[in-house]
Amino acid sequence: MRFSTLRQLAERCREEQVTIGQFMLNEQAFETGESKTTIVTQMTDYYTVMKEAVRRGLEHPQPSRSGLTGGDAARVRQYMDRPDGTLLGNDASRALTYALSVSEVNASMGKIVATPTAGSCGIIPGVFVSAQQRYCWADDRLVMGLFCAGAIGYVIANNSFISGAEGGCQAEIGSAVAMAAGAMTELLGGTPEQAVHAVGLALKNSLGLICDPVGGLVEIPCIVRNGFGAVTALAAADMALAGVRSVIPTDEVIEVMHETGRAMPDIYRETAKGGLAGTPTGRKLAKELFSHENGHQNADVPPEGGQR
Amino acid sequence: MRFKDVFSIIGPGMIGPSSSHTAGAVRIGRAARHLFGGMPLQAELTLYGSFAETYEGHGTDLALAAGLLDYATDDERIRNALSLAKALGMELTFNAARDPTVHPNSVLLTLRSENREDSFMGASIGGGNAEMTKINGFDVKFSVHNPTLLVFHADRLGMLAAFTSLIEAEWLNISYMDVNRKSRAGDALTVIQTDERLSGKLPDRIRAIEGVRRVASMNLS
């Protein structure tokens, strides 16, 4: 790829008079030797999976595999119908609801697309699908938005991290919010520079966020963080489109995420030892789930299932 | 660059709940199966770091079993992979171990069939992407997503030239190469990755070179 920083990415786009999404598609075609049609088809398939996950989580709410979570997307969806409306307003509430929905599908071992991870898989679909309904966009526009989000994520992943085990939740939810914010800025006509500012603004809001899932499950607090993340992405895109800049350049903010993640103790990096997982209630829930005398939580493990 | 393209960020399509602990684990298991050369009869899986702490909740055990059964990350059968493995006669055991020097999402797979035992260590580096970090005691580092050749051979003059000329003859472009040896003139493992898919005949041709002990290959992407 001909870029390793967001600054380079924005410069290249400016030089070549293309959007970040178009630039990423061109780079992908060059790097892999595949035709653009093949690449776009693959991305369109992923977008279809995302839309299906939004729908499935709302129409067929399922408890998670552990039984700890489920049904929150449907709850918020129903609350949206009350006469006074929601504090967020319909469009942001829809992004919130859809993000919760996809995240709940993930927790029930349903089919999703990692964007960039499964723990953060609700944010981009939440933001994209709600915007598609609001603005009546065709799928191909959103698909180009996914290439834009991918380019942003590519820079973050290679200069910092995208896994909670390496860099905490900032690396997962934080990256997804930044990708969604940058892509939405571009989809609404923002310049590549504005999209990059949106990324910086968004990332600054999640620096230091720890990965502390109760019982090690991608449920508490991951699901609600996906909902919050979708709303934050809209706020960051709005600020960038209004001309708000990230005074600390976005590439430097990415470096801070890297520095913070490296300094983070392992109890806050997806080991379920600290944070919310380490609270009395977090420990109690985990103990109930994994107490082997009461049968294994994993339905597919036979009682004599090996040394565990 | 640890992450090579747009689909390492957007993607994979997968069964939840965790890209590192579920999809990445499927890919490590699947890569190990291909490099082993088929389904093992026994697989001993030792989990480290976050894998060891949280594998039950994330279904990492199901995912590793699914990979060893050659399933893709979005295969619905992942949910039932442990019982499907058992039905096919693959015996799986899971252990946890500590080693602060390995990547926090690592697994060591010791695979056995009637006449062979191989060990693979893999690391799930985020978003469903995975690397091999150790093979039969050799330290390696390569992504499991690219077409890969493993050549176990004697460390002697001219071996690499012999491999690469056969690869060139097939019009394949080498994207990555790494030579690992346990000692000078001892055993060596060369890892070669190509941009294009490997043909079926290439491993046989390389195997015919004097001093080559074994060739393994995979084309997962």
Side-chain angles (χ1 to χ4, degrees):
Chain A
M1 301 280 167
R2 291 179 299 144
F3 64 104
S4 58
T5 65
L6 290 176
R7 189 180 157 180
Q8 285 171 354
L9 176 64
E11 277 169 5
R12 298 261 185 207
C13 290
R14 180 171 287 266
E15 282 161 20
E16 298 177 19
Q17 295 288 302
V18 290
T19 63
I20 296 176
Q22 288 162 341
F23 184 80
M24 189 69 201
L25 172 58
N26 294 342
E27 289 294 294
Q28 179 78 13
F30 180 78
E31 279 293 319
T32 60
E34 282 171 350
S35 74
K36 286 190 198 175
T37 314
T38 307
I39 294 165
V40 169
T41 303
Q42 168 75 70
M43 198 61 101
T44 306
D45 289 348
Y46 280 162
Y47 190 58
T48 306
V49 174
M50 292 180 207
K51 286 198 294 187
E52 173 59 22
V54 166
R55 196 188 58 75
R56 191 155 146 203
L58 283 168
E59 288 180 9
H60 309 283
Q62 291 230 346
S64 65
R65 217 163 54 100
S66 70
L68 281 180
T69 55
D72 289 341
R75 251 170 230 119
V76 179
R77 178 68 197 83
Q78 201 172 14
Y79 165 81
M80 282 172 67
D81 289 337
R82 66 184 201 140
D84 293 343
T86 64
L87 290 167
L88 284 171
N90 250 349
D91 297 307
S93 293
R94 213 176 271 136
L96 162 68
T97 308
Y98 293 175
L100 293 174
S101 177
V102 174
S103 208
E104 286 178 345
V105 167
N106 179 59
S108 65
M109 284 192 96
K111 196 183 283 192
I112 54 95
V113 181
T115 52
T117 65
S120 57
C121 69
I123 294 166
I124 288 180
V127 169
F128 277 42
V129 177
S130 60
Q132 179 170 30
Q133 290 177 350
R134 178 176 181 177
Y135 298 113
C136 300
W137 288 336
D139 279 1
D140 52 6
R141 183 159 182 166
L142 282 304
V143 168
M144 288 314 293
L146 289 175
F147 283 103
C148 175
I152 294 162
Y154 170 84
V155 172
I156 297 173
N158 282 314
N159 292 297
S160 185
F161 353 71
I162 52 166
S163 78
E166 287 176 319
C169 189
Q170 57 169 2
E172 298 205 22
I173 294 287
S175 299
V177 174
M179 290 158 62
M184 196 44 59
T185 303
E186 178 157 291
L187 285 171
L188 284 166
T191 62
E193 284 79 8
Q194 281 177 308
V196 169
H197 280 298
V199 174
L201 293 169
L203 280 181
K204 282 189 281 192
N205 194 47
S206 54
L207 288 174
L209 195 63
I210 59 174
C211 180
D212 52 352
V214 170
L217 301 161
V218 189
E219 296 188 39
I220 302 169
C222 320
I223 294 172
V224 295
R225 279 189 195 162
N226 273 270
F228 284 123
V231 176
T232 305
L234 298 178
D238 264 342
M239 281 193 268
L241 286 161
V244 177
R245 301 165 61 83
S246 175
V247 175
I248 306 298
T250 302
D251 289 306
E252 292 181 32
V253 180
I254 293 171
E255 284 306 314
V256 178
M257 195 227 269
H258 191 232
E259 171 196 309
T260 314
R262 287 177 65 98
M264 208 176 261
D266 86 317
I267 59 166
Y268 301 136
R269 287 189 285 114
E270 208 172 353
T271 52
K273 287 177 177 167
L276 296 169
T279 56
T281 304
R283 286 186 193 283
K284 184 169 149 269
L285 289 172
K287 201 174 163 194
E288 285 165 11
L289 284 174
F290 300 124
S291 73
H292 292 233
E293 296 78 25
N294 302 340
H296 199 278
Q297 177 253 349
N298 186 335
D300 193 34
V301 179
E304 69 278 16
Q307 308 158 12
R308 306 194 56 116
Chain B
M1 291 290 175
R2 289 201 299 164
F3 298 86
K4 296 190 175 7
D5 75 338
V6 74
F7 294 120
S8 61
I9 305 298
I10 305 294
M14 56 168 283
I15 299 300
S18 168
S19 42
S20 297
H21 295 69
T22 318
V26 171
R27 282 173 158 174
I28 292 171
R30 197 169 184 208
R33 176 193 168 121
H34 282 249
L35 295 173
F36 184 69
M39 190 184 85
L41 294 176
Q42 271 186 346
E44 199 179 311
L45 306 159
T46 307
L47 307 169
Y48 295 86
S50 172
F51 263 12
E53 304 293 344
T54 65
Y55 76 95
E56 294 174 296
H58 285 130
T60 307
D61 44 0
L62 297 171
L64 288 165
L68 290 170
L69 290 169
D70 203 17
Y71 297 168
T73 55
D74 63 352
D75 195 315
E76 311 264 355
R77 293 173 296 177
I78 291 171
R79 297 189 197 100
N80 308 311
L82 286 170
S83 45
L84 289 164
K86 197 175 178 191
L88 285 168
M90 180 163 60
E91 189 190 313
L92 290 159
T93 55
F94 292 90
N95 307 291
R98 290 185 71 86
D99 182 351
T101 65
V102 303
H103 184 281
N105 279 331
S106 288
V107 54
L108 177 70
L109 305 96
T110 305
L111 307 185
R112 297 188 189 94
S113 64
E114 274 160 10
N115 46 19
R116 176 179 296 168
E117 174 176 314
D118 281 328
S119 72
F120 301 92
M121 185 176 272
S124 183
I125 63 170
N129 300 282
E131 293 173 346
M132 280 292 168
T133 54
K134 210 174 257 231
I135 295 176
N136 292 349
F138 289 102
D139 288 318
V140 297
K141 190 174 173 67
F142 63 89
S143 155
V144 303
H145 312 291
N146 306 328
T148 306
L149 268 176
L150 299 184
V151 187
F152 295 89
H153 60 92
D155 177 38
R156 72 162 74 135
L157 195 72
M159 291 303 274
L160 292 183
F163 306 156
T164 53
S165 64
L166 287 175
I167 292 167
E168 185 193 357
E170 304 241 353
W171 288 92
L172 301 174
N173 187 45
I174 295 174
S175 58
Y176 173 86
M177 188 153 113
D178 183 28
V179 185
N180 313 271
R181 58 183 192 179
K182 288 183 176 164
S183 65
R184 188 171 173 183
D187 284 337
L189 166 61
T190 294
V191 179
I192 300 170
Q193 295 195 313
T194 56
D195 284 328
E196 302 82 5
R197 289 180 69 82
L198 300 164
S199 70
K201 293 174 198 152
L202 184 62
D204 289 335
R205 289 188 179 141
I206 293 179
R207 203 172 288 119
I209 298 170
E210 200 190 329
V212 171
R213 303 199 168 101
R214 180 177 156 202
V215 181
S217 66
M218 65 171 176
N219 281 302
L220 290 186
S221 51

